[in-house]
Amino acid sequence: MSIEIYVEAAMVRKQRGRLVGGIAYIALDADGCIDSEDWDPVDYVKDRAYLELSALAFGLENARDGDIIYSSSDYCVKGFNEWLDGWKRRDWRKANKESIANAELWRLVDERSAEKRVEVRKVAACSAGKDAAYRYALLATKRLL
């Protein structure tokens, strides 16, 4: 039985302008009931893409074979489905030979997905799973304020 996993990230600006974030996932079973959920504060945030990719890696850590992961990030969905294999073939470089952004996180995503058959899809704008995961991510940022 496959589980739907929704991953989200939230970012807030702390005093003195430092960015902190939170990542979260919520897993729903076939009946739409919560199978599991978790969240984590992220004390250091480079940018939004870094945080969204951290959320994808977090969801993959908890995914099982056959699960579907939903993300609102085009960067994560396209990166996982379209770009990842090419980056690996080119030793984690783009076609123009430049290093890819967030290479360490992409390697982690690749490592966590290697032993599982998972799908990564774009989430619909209005989704209960997406909204719940975002609320968890936002609450995780509050633990750092």
Side-chain angles (χ1 to χ4, degrees):
M1 172 190 310
S2 74
I3 300 288
E4 292 183 344
I5 298 174
Y6 295 83
V7 295
E8 281 297 325
M11 186 168 51
V12 297
R13 190 170 305 280
K14 236 179 137 168
Q15 292 176 346
R16 297 184 181 87
R18 191 175 70 130
L19 294 174
V20 296
I23 56 175
Y25 83 90
I26 185 164
L28 302 177
D29 65 17
D31 297 321
C33 296
I34 296 174
D35 182 69
S36 64
E37 79 273 337
D38 201 3
W39 52 90
D40 235 353
V42 178
D43 193 32
Y44 173 73
V45 177
K46 292 191 322 190
D47 56 27
R48 182 87 187 157
Y50 176 88
L51 197 58
E52 290 170 340
L53 189 53
S54 296
L56 176 60
F58 190 55
L60 280 166
E61 180 180 22
N62 297 284
R64 297 175 287 220
D65 196 39
D67 288 351
I68 302 167
I69 298 177
Y70 290 93
S71 172
S72 60
S73 167
D74 287 329
Y75 174 63
C76 291
V77 174
K78 286 182 180 180
F80 187 86
N81 293 315
E82 299 173 25
W83 306 330
L84 190 60
D85 289 335
W87 288 337
K88 289 188 329 187
R89 278 193 312 271
R90 292 186 296 271
D91 195 29
W92 300 101
R93 297 194 177 277
K94 297 183 209 174
N96 66 4
K97 309 258 195 260
E98 291 181 17
S99 297
I100 63 168
N102 304 309
E104 71 287 346
L105 278 174
W106 280 113
R107 284 186 184 99
L108 181 61
V109 163
D110 182 51
E111 178 185 309
R112 289 184 176 173
S113 64
E115 300 297 320
K116 306 169 189 174
R117 188 182 39 69
V118 296
E119 291 181 52
V120 176
R121 297 181 185 170
K122 181 78 172 173
V123 69
C126 287
S127 164
K130 174 190 180 312
D131 293 344
Y134 180 76
R135 283 194 300 274
Y136 282 139
L138 193 57
L139 287 171
T141 67
K142 302 295 185 197
R143 294 189 348 201
L144 292 174
L145 295 177

